[in-house]
Amino acid sequence: MQYRKMGSLDWEVSALGFGCMRLPTKRFMPLQVDAGTSIKIIRSGIDKGINYVDTAWPYHFGAGERIVGQALKDGYREKVHLATKLPTFFVRKSEDFDSYLERQLEKLQTDYLDVYLFHRMTRGQFEKLKDLQLMDKMIGAKERGKIKHIGFSFHDTLPVFKEIVDYYPWDVVQIQYNYMDTGIQATTDGLRYAYDKGIAVVIMEPVKGGRLANPPAEAREIMAAAKNQRSPVDWALQFVWNRPEVSVVLSGMGSQKMVDENCASADRSGIGKLNDDDLEVINKLIEVYRKRILVPCTACGYCMPCPSGVNIPQNFAILNNVSVEDSRIRRWLVSRGYGKLARSKKQLKEDELNGSAVMCVQCGKCLEKCPQEINIPEELKKVHAIIGKHKKISE
Ligand code: SF4
Ligand code: SF4
């Protein structure tokens, strides 16, 4: 494992952090995390040198923190820096801060957090933070020894990011960054801005919710012709590690294979390790993806559950599957997958969120929840038109 500077803090962080948003599950609705496998792979990652574990209140509808707490028993807690997040979007009054923090410490079976972040900061959440004086609460918790370092995770635009960064001398910021997303959300400018202030930058979504792990044929050909042979995931991760401003890259790992491969990638990582040929390959990959991805959904699941039973990320994954590679066989496979989703309330399964795009009643309840600012109901109309009604993407 390679270790990197954690901003201005006096400890080094593993290049790879364990993101606990995509732990292995047994079924989706009602959600059941595969606790045994989750604990095994988290511990395996720590045994391979990972010393940063990141979770949050809503991960796996609240079960995530409990599993992480179990994984960090038997001496593993002392081996890592543990980060979780205040669910700012659920906070209604100032006192909610203490209530959430206490319950999170209990779930995680620990007396303190190494990093506590305001989760998913946007303009609206930032105004709430100020109105409810939540920063005073954060500082109070730090003075009482409940948290060691203060940060925020971010999903809005660069001007909002700079405003929040300037609001407080933060220890840590967590931003979405990968070779496709250098110009959205915090952007590369925001990454540099935080780094120049000595703030540790934690990267999330380095593989864009798994999208960069499954490249279309055109992108695979580019990788196959490259001087340095790498897997699609390795290309994505090395791009982020190449940057000096990055402290730790979170990967939401859901299997032992992913842990093994990502740890091996981290072993090879380093600042400035990519040469001109490598960067040229990545530029070509960016061009391929830019032409193809229709909906920038990262499958984070924040928009779920939909009251009408629509499986929102699944529908967008289906559409992007076609847009990334619109072949006859891909269309056939995708149409079959779409056809298996429910088209009426009668077909909705109780134990599985299986609604197709056509079940969206355009209520708009999901709109506020999407960190990627996707107009979900509008995009779902496109899913049904292209997959359900076989319209051409150009139409
Ligand atoms: S707009 Fe559609 S997808 Fe969004 S919550 Fe309403 S029914 Fe569900
Ligand atoms: S639509 Fe938005 S909130 Fe829903 S899974 Fe995709 S990125 Fe996440």
Side-chain angles (χ1 to χ4, degrees):
M1 180 61 61
Q2 297 290 321
Y3 294 87
R4 303 170 68 113
K5 269 177 69 64
M6 188 68 180
S8 303
L9 303 181
D10 61 358
W11 42 274
E12 292 209 318
V13 66
S14 51
L16 180 68
F18 208 118
C20 297
M21 193 170 93
R22 301 173 204 270
L23 294 174
T25 53
K26 284 182 175 165
R27 62 178 186 179
F28 198 66
M29 285 298 279
L31 185 102
Q32 200 181 350
V33 185
D34 182 343
T37 308
S38 299
I39 292 166
K40 199 167 140 266
I41 65 173
I42 292 170
R43 290 184 175 183
S44 162
I46 297 168
D47 290 341
K48 288 172 187 289
I50 289 176
N51 72 0
Y52 193 87
V53 175
D54 170 88
T55 183
W57 177 272
Y59 291 175
H60 299 284
F61 298 123
E65 287 177 323
R66 235 175 249 295
I67 304 267
V68 172
Q70 289 168 26
L72 296 185
K73 284 163 73 172
D74 303 328
Y76 280 86
R77 173 68 184 95
E78 291 71 35
K79 295 179 181 176
V80 297
H81 303 277
L82 176 60
T84 193
K85 312 179 191 82
L86 175 76
T88 328
F89 31 89
F90 292 152
V91 170
R92 296 286 170 262
K93 52 190 188 308
S94 173
E95 303 81 67
D96 289 350
F97 180 98
D98 300 310
S99 160
Y100 276 112
L101 177 57
E102 284 308 321
R103 280 181 285 167
Q104 289 175 291
L105 290 170
E106 182 265 318
K107 282 163 82 178
L108 288 162
Q109 306 189 41
T110 186
D111 297 329
Y112 69 95
L113 300 168
D114 295 281
V115 182
Y116 198 40
L117 304 104
F118 292 105
H119 196 176
R120 216 199 299 161
M121 290 300 285
T122 57
R123 158 68 61 206
Q125 297 305 323
F126 183 44
E127 293 309 320
K128 185 197 281 188
L129 181 160
K130 290 189 283 187
D131 288 349
L132 299 181
Q133 296 172 338
L134 295 178
M135 187 50 82
D136 291 346
K137 288 284 185 185
M138 240 339 162
I139 293 165
K142 187 174 177 184
E143 284 168 357
R144 293 196 307 280
K146 303 263 180 187
I147 57 178
K148 289 193 173 177
H149 307 297
I150 297 174
F152 67 93
S153 69
F154 182 76
H155 290 289
D156 207 316
T157 56
L158 178 61
V160 180
F161 181 71
K162 286 186 172 176
E163 206 179 318
I164 301 175
V165 165
D166 291 342
Y167 178 71
Y168 179 79
W170 306 93
D171 300 306
V172 176
V173 296
Q174 185 170 321
I175 62 169
Q176 174 171 326
Y177 196 74
N178 56 65
Y179 68 68
M180 285 300 299
D181 290 340
T182 53
I184 63 165
Q185 299 211 8
T187 76
T188 303
D189 282 354
L191 172 65
R192 288 200 196 106
Y193 192 74
Y195 172 78
D196 287 344
K197 287 178 180 280
I199 304 172
V201 183
V202 177
I203 300 298
M204 58 183 156
E205 305 286 11
V207 193
K208 205 167 170 57
R211 201 99 42 73
L212 305 181
N214 296 299
E218 196 182 339
R220 284 192 184 276
E221 281 165 21
I222 292 166
M223 291 179 198
K227 279 191 188 151
N228 287 321
Q229 288 298 297
R230 296 189 167 91
S231 71
V233 172
D234 193 52
W235 278 111
L237 292 174
Q238 299 300 347
F239 170 82
V240 188
W241 281 317
N242 197 49
R243 295 211 66 108
E245 303 91 346
V246 169
S247 289
V248 50
V249 178
L250 298 177
S251 174
M253 292 175 276
S255 68
Q256 186 63 51
K257 185 166 177 277
M258 287 168 85
V259 173
D260 294 344
E261 289 177 359
N262 290 355
C263 285
S265 286
D267 288 347
R268 297 189 295 270
S269 72
I271 294 164
K273 278 240 174 145
L274 295 184
N275 60 29
D276 289 348
D277 290 332
D278 295 325
L279 295 172
E280 181 61 29
V281 169
I282 290 173
N283 282 337
K284 287 180 184 166
L285 295 176
I286 292 170
E287 285 310 307
V288 170
Y289 277 108
R290 285 237 164 100
K291 282 189 289 187
R292 289 161 187 264
I293 285 178
L294 286 186
V295 188
C297 173
T298 62
C300 67
Y302 289 150
C303 56
M304 303 281 278
C306 154
S308 295
V310 179
N311 188 328
I312 299 168
Q314 175 74 21
N315 278 276
F316 290 154
I318 285 173
L319 180 63
N320 284 330
N321 256 324
V322 169
S323 66
V324 165
E325 184 163 328
D326 195 3
S327 62
R328 282 176 73 180
I329 179 78
R330 181 77 67 130
R331 277 251 178 191
W332 180 75
L333 285 169
V334 157
S335 294
R336 263 186 83 206
Y338 189 70
K340 284 182 187 163
L341 295 176
R343 299 167 69 94
S344 68
K345 279 195 174 161
K346 245 170 106 181
Q347 293 174 339
L348 274 179
K349 290 184 189 157
E350 261 179 40
D351 61 346
E352 197 188 331
L353 206 62
N354 67 326
S356 73
V358 76
M359 295 206 59
C360 172
V361 295
Q362 305 283 309
C363 70
K365 285 184 183 152
C366 52
L367 274 173
E368 284 281 292
K369 298 180 188 169
C370 179
Q372 310 300 327
E373 296 180 15
I374 296 168
N375 187 332
I376 295 171
E378 277 306 309
E379 297 299 334
L380 285 171
K381 280 190 204 164
K382 290 184 199 164
V383 174
H384 188 61
I386 294 168
I387 315 289
K389 294 190 169 166
H390 310 292
K391 293 219 166 157
K392 286 190 180 147
I393 291 172
S394 54
E395 292 174 63

